[in-house]
Amino acid sequence: MSVRPIRTSLVRGAGAVALCALALLGALSSAGRAAAADPPPIGAVEVGALRVRDARILAPAAPDVAAAYFTIENHGDVPDALVGVASAAAATTELHSTVARDGRLAMLPIERLDIAPGAEVTLAPGGYHVMLLGLHQPLQAGDLVTLTLYFERAGPVTLRVPVRPRADG
Amino acid sequence: MKSTESRRTLPAWAGAALLALLAGGLLAGCQPVAVAADPSSYRGAVLTQPQPKPDFTLTDTSGAPFAFRERTDGYVTLLFFGYTSCPDICPLQMANLSAALRKQPATVQSAVKVVFVTTDPARDTPERLRGWLDAFDHDFIGLTGSPAAIAAVEAAAGVAPSRPVSRPDGSYLVEHAAYVIAYGRDNYARVQYPAGVRQEDWAHDLPKLVEGS
């Protein structure tokens, strides 16, 4: 977990260097400009051989805690894994699994979530989720939360996760 | 020595195998019986022994004492232990229950009381509890008390005691029993609803809980 900030800053650093290089060279790569200018996609995103879809946060009843859910499809020929999550919307962002133990339910942080080639992994209520603890402001249906996912092979990808009414499940 | 070891090893293996056979046999034998006992009945987990509704008093979200058995007497009473900083299971259970309850006829709705007992009294003030429950249903009852009082209620209701688990950042999560206990109008619980229960399961069972007891 302590590596996450380092990873984040490395990624940001690389982005800043890339931007500077673009500016200095006056490069007019449309791909580069689009990546710099466009806000992250909403609800679904692709990175490498992975597709993340159905991303959502169910409108939380608590002002400071929420959970994000999504499905990851691996269309590649090699395994990949979700190894980190980050969001500026909360003090703590963690990948969790809800598990039963000793007659209780516990939420355990998990270090990685493997996605086999050709397989998909679903984060859903009652199972895997991204826990957002210490939200900086309460969330309501219609809000968008920017979330960055770090994949072992495909690398980082950022998307905006819509907050949906609870009734949607 | 060697023969002793092998003698020890053999019974151990044999014991394990016997256990596995027994467990398999028990599971295979019990499951159809449990289903056959009442196939058209509840989708929740039916208890082998009805459990009496516990008698306790905690504090409600208005700060007033709430005598649980007395105030819920004659109602189908759905009792749940949880906490408002729980991001996944607690809101899931409450949301499914409230959504299903809202779709029931008034006769069913008015016969059901939902009681949420916090397992995190340090953070779940009455105000916070009320605000959280109102996101689901204004009529849901929220109860709090001292950690000792809540532990006593958990024991009386027969659920595993909740326990706070510290996190590296200084915050904590609370492990807790996450099933809803359904007491009938006769003040006996016969059914429990684990975390995976869906709205359609509630929709199926709520009228039965009201009619059946």
Side-chain angles (χ1 to χ4, degrees):
Chain A
M1 291 299 148
S2 60
V3 297
R4 199 181 302 138
I6 297 166
R7 276 200 186 132
T8 306
S9 62
L10 273 177
V11 169
R12 281 189 187 143
V17 168
L19 278 177
C20 285
L22 279 174
L24 281 170
L25 293 171
L28 292 173
S29 150
S30 60
R33 293 174 99 193
D38 290 352
I42 297 172
V45 68
E46 289 179 15
V47 56
L50 302 180
R51 176 171 155 77
V52 178
R53 60 170 168 82
D54 299 330
R56 67 205 185 278
I57 289 170
L58 300 181
D64 47 6
V65 184
Y69 308 100
F70 45 85
T71 294
I72 308 161
E73 302 169 350
N74 184 350
H75 295 283
D77 302 324
V78 290
D80 206 335
L82 179 61
V83 292
V85 289
S87 175
T92 304
T93 308
E94 283 180 359
L95 188 57
H96 274 199
S97 176
T98 298
V99 296
R101 60 177 186 190
D102 308 332
R104 307 169 186 87
L105 282 190
M107 287 182 302
L108 302 181
I110 50 177
E111 296 295 321
R112 57 185 290 126
L113 194 53
D114 290 295
I115 314 123
E120 64 177 41
V121 171
T122 297
L123 289 77
Y128 295 120
H129 56 274
V130 172
M131 185 186 73
L132 299 154
L133 194 60
L135 289 171
H136 299 310
Q137 56 187 40
L139 296 177
Q140 294 176 343
D143 290 347
L144 295 170
V145 174
T146 301
L147 180 69
T148 300
L149 309 178
Y150 297 89
F151 291 102
E152 190 169 65
R153 183 173 288 267
V157 66
T158 298
L159 76 167
R160 288 180 294 163
V161 181
V163 180
R164 299 240 187 96
R166 265 278 165 194
D168 285 7
Chain B
M1 277 305 280
K2 201 167 186 197
S3 67
T4 313
E5 268 174 33
S6 63
R7 246 182 240 154
R8 269 189 199 149
T9 308
L10 274 172
W13 276 104
L18 186 64
L19 266 177
L21 277 173
L22 261 176
L26 280 175
L27 282 174
C30 280
Q31 213 153 324
V33 173
V35 172
D38 212 345
S40 63
S41 190
Y42 299 104
R43 296 209 182 147
V46 176
L47 304 176
T48 49
Q49 288 282 325
Q51 302 292 318
K53 187 187 273 180
D55 192 4
F56 62 82
T57 299
L58 289 174
T59 304
D60 70 18
T61 52
S62 72
F66 188 92
F68 176 70
R69 194 178 165 113
E70 182 191 323
R71 295 281 291 278
T72 61
D73 185 41
Y75 290 91
V76 167
T77 306
L78 305 174
L79 178 65
F80 184 73
F81 296 87
Y83 67 116
T84 68
S85 302
C86 168
D88 187 45
I89 288 297
C90 303
L92 173 66
Q93 282 275 39
M94 290 296 106
N96 283 337
L97 176 52
S98 65
L101 197 53
R102 270 200 300 275
K103 291 173 192 155
Q104 292 294 316
T107 48
V108 172
Q109 288 191 37
S110 61
V112 175
K113 283 189 190 288
V114 176
V115 179
F116 181 92
V117 175
T118 180
T119 57
D120 186 11
R123 288 186 297 196
D124 283 346
T125 61
E127 297 75 27
R128 184 177 165 106
L129 207 46
R130 186 69 264 152
W132 190 81
L133 289 169
D134 281 349
F136 306 106
D137 193 315
H138 295 284
D139 291 329
F140 284 6
I141 296 159
L143 299 180
T144 186
S146 69
I150 289 166
V153 169
E154 288 172 329
V159 306
S162 56
R163 58 185 176 203
V165 179
S166 299
R167 292 161 36 80
D169 63 6
S171 67
Y172 61 93
L173 299 169
V174 182
E175 297 184 1
H176 59 93
Y179 51 86
V180 175
I181 305 171
Y183 297 95
R185 300 174 90 155
D186 62 354
N187 298 323
Y188 276 87
R190 291 182 187 77
V191 198
Q192 290 176 353
Y193 295 87
V197 66
R198 300 162 301 172
Q199 285 182 32
E200 62 206 73
D201 300 322
W202 281 120
H204 177 270
D205 278 17
L206 282 167
K208 289 181 178 295
L209 288 165
V210 171
E211 291 158 15
S213 54

